[in-house]
């Protein structure tokens, strides 16, 4: 395992595991952790050996959003430009997660607050420990839900639940988040990592090209008409149909054996 101090990164069997690693601060983001996480996800883009990503947190929390100690207003000085912070640090990472044509599994091992919750919601399949909770903490400090929060909450939950969560900062327990369709599932705490690792391994052994195209199509569907989406499906299926993994998948079916996908 290679370790940058704030994000642990380990590649095994096609799964790149990225572990947010400032446990004493509930893995809240300082600049170093921002850059380390971005570097990890960029590696997933660039390295063909990476076929799935597993994102989790060290210690008892997943991520408490921005490190609020970083900009202590009691120290005085001009008001910070938080728009610049978003543009420089959060938004590039969110865009990298969404544009990565490989599955990103998120294992929410504990509290996910502020941008920490919304980064989880940007991942493709989110599992959470039953003891975890999601908090749109922004309302408590005079901010708006960033890191894609207003987009994903409104889109996934609809306005009534999105507004109530964002305006009250009421913690949402993992099981309720799963009931509401905000995450894939809530599992017993000690089952979280084994289950998330098995899922990531399954995805990493899958037909990566087809899975990546599937991710893109589903993400793009919301901004397209059915006609446009049918065209996009045609084009992507054309591409998938030319892949080695399609040939292997069909051959394996006909030979009644498990497929051995190469990711190509
Ligand atoms: C923390 C933090 C934290 C520093 C726990 N920072 N130390 C913001 C601004 C700029 C640009 C754009 O974007 C954003 C995005 C955002 O994410 S804004 C939202 C920021 N996050 C929050 O407001 C959440 C603040 N944290 C909490 O409300 C609580 O810590 C939660 C509910 C997450 C967990 O509560 P507890 O389980 O009771 O833990 P705790 O509060 O005792 O925290 C444990 C330690 O972690 C503690 O340090 P200490 O030295 O006292 O043991 C906290 O100070 C530290 N910590 N979150 N965001």
């Amino acid at each position: 395992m290679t370790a940058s101090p704030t994000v642990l990164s380990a590649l095994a069997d096609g799964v790149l595991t990225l572990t947010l690693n400032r446990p004493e601060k509930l893995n809240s983001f300082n600049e170093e952790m921002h850059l380390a996480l971005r570097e990890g996800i960029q590696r997933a883009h660039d390295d063909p050996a990476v076929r799935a990503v597993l994102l989790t947190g060290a210690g008892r929390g997943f991520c408490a959003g921005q490190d609020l100690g970083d900009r202590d207003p009691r120290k005085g000085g001009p008001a910070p430009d938080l728009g610049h912070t978003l543009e420089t640090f959060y938004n590039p990472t969110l865009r990298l997660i969404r544009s990565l044509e490989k599955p990103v599994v998120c294992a929410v091992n504990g509290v996910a607050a502020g941008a920490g919750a919304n980064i989880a919601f940007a991942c493709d399949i989110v599992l959470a420990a039953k003891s975890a909770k999601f908090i749109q903490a922004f309302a408590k400090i005079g901010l708006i839900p960033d890191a894609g929060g207003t987009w994903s909450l409104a889109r996934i939950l609809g306005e009534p639940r999105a507004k109530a969560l964002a305006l009250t900062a009421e913690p949402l327990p993992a099981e309720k988040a799963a009931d509401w369709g905000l995450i894939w599932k809530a599992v017993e705490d000690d089952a979280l990592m084994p289950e998330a690792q098995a899922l990531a391994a399954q995805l990493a052994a899958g037909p990566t090209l087809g899975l990546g195209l599937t991710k893109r199509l589903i993400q793009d569907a919301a901004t397209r008409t059915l006609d446009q989406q049918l065209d996009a499906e045609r084009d992507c299926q054309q591409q998938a149909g030319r892949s080695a993994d399609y040939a292997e998948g069909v051959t394996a079916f006909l030979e009644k054996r498990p497929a051995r996908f190469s990711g190509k």
Side-chain angles (χ1 to χ4, degrees):
M1 179 179 277
T2 55
S4 76
T6 52
V7 175
L8 307 174
S9 171
L11 176 62
D13 299 327
V15 178
L16 180 66
T17 301
L18 299 173
T19 306
L20 306 177
N21 189 37
R22 301 183 72 225
E24 69 291 349
K25 299 279 183 195
L26 298 182
N27 304 319
S28 55
F29 277 96
N30 61 7
E31 285 194 13
E32 189 189 336
M33 195 171 98
H34 275 296
L35 296 176
L37 177 60
R38 192 192 310 172
E39 190 182 304
I41 299 166
Q42 185 63 54
R43 177 181 175 192
H45 277 260
D46 298 341
D47 185 349
V50 177
R51 291 172 62 187
V53 174
L54 173 57
L55 176 65
T56 191
R60 73 175 177 89
F62 171 67
C63 176
Q66 182 70 19
D67 187 325
L68 297 176
D70 260 10
R71 291 197 190 84
D72 183 344
R74 293 170 301 184
K75 290 180 187 157
D81 180 349
L82 299 189
H84 182 259
T85 305
L86 290 180
E87 198 53 30
T88 309
F89 295 110
Y90 287 96
N91 292 355
T93 297
L94 269 291
R95 291 185 172 114
L96 277 179
I97 292 171
R98 298 286 292 183
S99 64
L100 178 65
E101 294 205 349
K102 299 171 186 178
V104 181
V105 174
C106 185
V108 180
N109 52 298
V111 66
N118 296 335
I119 287 172
F121 301 144
C123 296
D124 301 315
I125 303 184
V126 185
L127 280 70
K130 281 189 180 170
S131 65
K133 53 195 172 180
F134 298 89
I135 310 174
Q136 295 298 314
F138 309 89
K140 293 204 165 171
I141 54 170
L143 295 182
I144 59 98
D146 57 20
T150 56
W151 187 88
S152 44
L153 291 174
R155 189 157 291 207
I156 301 166
L157 298 178
E159 283 196 23
R161 285 170 170 170
K163 284 177 180 165
L165 287 178
L167 298 178
T168 66
E170 195 176 296
L172 182 71
E175 284 181 277
K176 200 163 178 185
D179 288 347
W180 285 8
L182 196 49
I183 64 169
W184 172 233
K185 58 172 142 170
V187 301
E188 296 300 334
D189 287 15
D190 55 7
L192 177 71
M193 287 318 291
E195 203 162 315
Q197 281 159 346
L199 175 61
Q202 176 195 324
L203 294 166
T208 310
L209 180 84
L211 298 182
L213 293 171
T214 303
K215 169 175 173 171
R216 172 145 58 92
L217 281 164
I218 290 175
Q219 288 179 182
D220 290 348
T223 54
R224 292 211 187 104
T225 63
L226 175 60
D227 264 347
Q228 291 168 327
Q229 192 71 0
L230 290 173
D231 288 347
E233 287 178 0
R234 175 202 59 213
D235 294 344
C236 289
Q237 202 69 298
Q238 185 174 55
Q239 211 183 325
R242 290 175 179 148
S243 69
D245 281 342
Y246 168 66
E248 164 61 10
V250 175
T251 304
F253 174 79
L254 296 174
E255 293 178 356
K256 300 189 188 302
R257 61 166 175 82
R260 291 181 295 269
F261 293 118
S262 64
K264 294 181 186 118

